[in-house]
Amino acid sequence: MFHEIHEECGVFGVYGHPEAANLAYLGLYALQHRGQEGAGICSSDGRHLHLDKAMGLVADIFSEKRLKKLPGHIAIGHNRYSTAGSSVLKNVQPITANFALGPLAIAHNGNIVNAAELREELEKEGAIFQSTSDSEVIVHLIAHAKGNDFYERVTQAVKQISGAFSLLILREKELIAVRDAYGVRPLSLGRVDGAYAIASETCAFDLIGAAYIRDIEPGELLIIDENGIRSMRPLVAPRQASCIFEFIYFSRPDSYIFGGQNVNHIRKEFGKQLARESFVDADLVIPVPDSGVPAAIGFSEESKIPFDFGLIRNHYIGRTFIEPKQSIRHFGVKIKLNPVRKLLQGKRVIVVDDSIVRGTTSKKIVKMLREGGGAKEVHMRISSPPTIGPCFYGIDTPTRQELIASTHMVEEIKKYITADSLAYFSLEGLKNIVPDSHNYCTACFDNNYPMSFPGEHLEQMELFLK
Ligand code: AMP
């Protein structure tokens, strides 16, 4: 299959600042957690676009010298998430192209569900693709679209897309932001020194001293140019379906997403409710760092069981999840985490993590807490419901068969990870905490997918229906 599904990314844009590329650099730096495979910035000085992109981390790629080669007052940037088998520069964004209405660059966060079909059609019409990224489809759709002006073309193009897109488009004299009508991925608008900034998450605003104004609304097309800001609403969906997993795992705790909800606050509330649902008598609550920290603090506060850092994380290693082979992943947990024996020895320990995907991490952690840490009992608490459905909209989850909770009961998973007890957060509890929870996609927990499925994902759906 040509395109690598399940990519989560970060996007950042700025309009009207003399140091646009420098701000984009900082914005991407703050959004590094959303993608570590590669990054790029494209700037415009009003006449030409200037692009620089490479594999690796933002701070390793861009030097002062390289940023100087990105002049202008407009810029967009992109962090790409690493997925197995797709680590090639040509898939790193922004993607640039020249077409009838001039040059453009795009940065896309999300995943296009019908990318394969669209690509096939476009290729039949003569389009030549440079990459295997689903995002390139958007560029070709815009080039092929008909319409009186650029915005009509963009609208026509994105109307053909099924899936998630928080999209930034850079042209010589303008910055355009489009968010899919379901509002799957976050996208926020901010203001700094009279300039506008747009970011996947508000933590990027904090670093550059920008003030959060509002979200780009689901279905909104926002134009920023010398006349200021203009908004259109060309896209409609039957409902909003923002990604609940942004709260659980993906977004940074200091960010405010989906209408200004603080991620840390929500995660802590998850932990409190989890404690109410699945209290167990113990001596110590510890998080799996960093993903389990806010929920573990909430769990400790509610249960009155002391909190401490019983596992120490080495921060200089990429996320274990992105490593391709099972054998490496097993090793990965150990090089990433180490137990603090002094804290754990002889204790009944509650360990809180945000999710179980394949079960590999939890199994290693339980073993580590017992063998390396000397814990007497290990009780695993998960601040999300069982992950039973793969994500087609941009969160990097494996296939349904690999999701341990889709094929095993909680009791079986408990045995597999060798915990003394295991409890997940209830979907009901989760929905009670997230305000307006009907506006969220919870497909990974209840198989309730908001969009239809074209051919390439049918196999997955059939497995689910069996
Ligand atoms: P696993 O070992 O496959 O069960 O993975 C579970 C671990 O992966 C948990 O510690 C989660 O915090 C983490 N995790 C969950 N979702 C993702 C994701 N989309 N990308 C990277 N890590 C994830």
Side-chain angles (χ1 to χ4, degrees), residues 113-115 117 162 452-458:
V113 183
N114 60 341
E117 283 76 2
S162 171
S452 60
F453 291 90
E456 66 182 296
H457 298 303
L458 274 182

Side-chain angles (χ1 to χ4, degrees), residues 81 245 249-250 288 291 319 321 353-362 395-397:
Y81 194 91
F245 214 76
Y249 174 81
F250 220 85
V288 175
S291 51
R319 293 175 180 187
F321 197 78
D353 202 358
D354 69 290
S355 58
I356 295 179
V357 182
R358 297 178 179 85
T360 324
T361 307
S362 306
I395 290 284
D396 182 21
T397 48

Side-chain angles (χ1 to χ4, degrees), residues 187-190 205 211-217 220 222 229-231 233:
L187 196 63
S188 301
L189 177 69
F205 293 160
Y212 166 74
I213 302 176
R214 64 171 177 89
D215 284 5
I216 310 296
E217 297 291 327
E220 182 176 2
L222 186 88
I229 209 160
R230 261 176 302 156
S231 170
R233 287 300 184 90

Side-chain angles (χ1 to χ4, degrees), residues 324-394:
K325 284 193 211 120
Q326 278 288 335
S327 55
I328 301 175
R329 207 162 21 243
H330 280 260
F331 179 61
V333 178
K334 215 168 165 183
I335 52 172
K336 189 163 118 178
L337 294 173
N338 201 31
V340 185
R341 197 173 183 97
K342 176 96 177 138
L343 279 175
L344 301 166
Q345 179 81 50
K347 299 265 178 66
R348 297 167 302 164
V349 177
I350 296 172
V351 55
V352 181
D353 202 358
D354 69 290
S355 58
I356 295 179
V357 182
R358 297 178 179 85
T360 324
T361 307
S362 306
K363 191 178 168 72
K364 288 280 154 190
I365 282 170
V366 174
K367 191 164 178 246
M368 185 181 278
L369 291 172
R370 281 196 218 281
E371 290 175 8
K376 191 166 81 181
E377 288 173 22
V378 180
H379 301 277
M380 180 67 80
R381 293 293 177 271
I382 303 297
S383 63
S384 67
T387 306
I388 53 171
C391 181
F392 302 112
Y393 314 124

Side-chain angles (χ1 to χ4, degrees), residues 201-251:
E201 291 177 40
T202 58
C203 63
F205 293 160
D206 298 336
L207 186 58
I208 61 165
Y212 166 74
I213 302 176
R214 64 171 177 89
D215 284 5
I216 310 296
E217 297 291 327
E220 182 176 2
L221 188 154
L222 186 88
I223 304 152
I224 313 175
D225 62 15
E226 59 189 7
N227 300 316
I229 209 160
R230 261 176 302 156
S231 170
M232 304 178 190
R233 287 300 184 90
L235 308 169
V236 283
R239 70 177 185 101
Q240 188 175 334
S242 297
C243 172
I244 202 102
F245 214 76
E246 292 278 350
F247 282 134
I248 287 158
Y249 174 81
F250 220 85
S251 287

Side-chain angles (χ1 to χ4, degrees), residues 128-143:
I128 297 166
F129 280 78
Q130 292 167 12
S131 74
T132 57
S133 147
D134 63 344
S135 308
E136 199 188 342
V137 168
I138 303 172
V139 175
H140 288 277
L141 287 174
I142 295 172

Side-chain angles (χ1 to χ4, degrees), residues 279-294:
F279 176 86
V280 56
D281 202 14
D283 306 307
L284 189 63
V285 175
I286 66 164
V288 175
D290 296 325
S291 51
V293 173

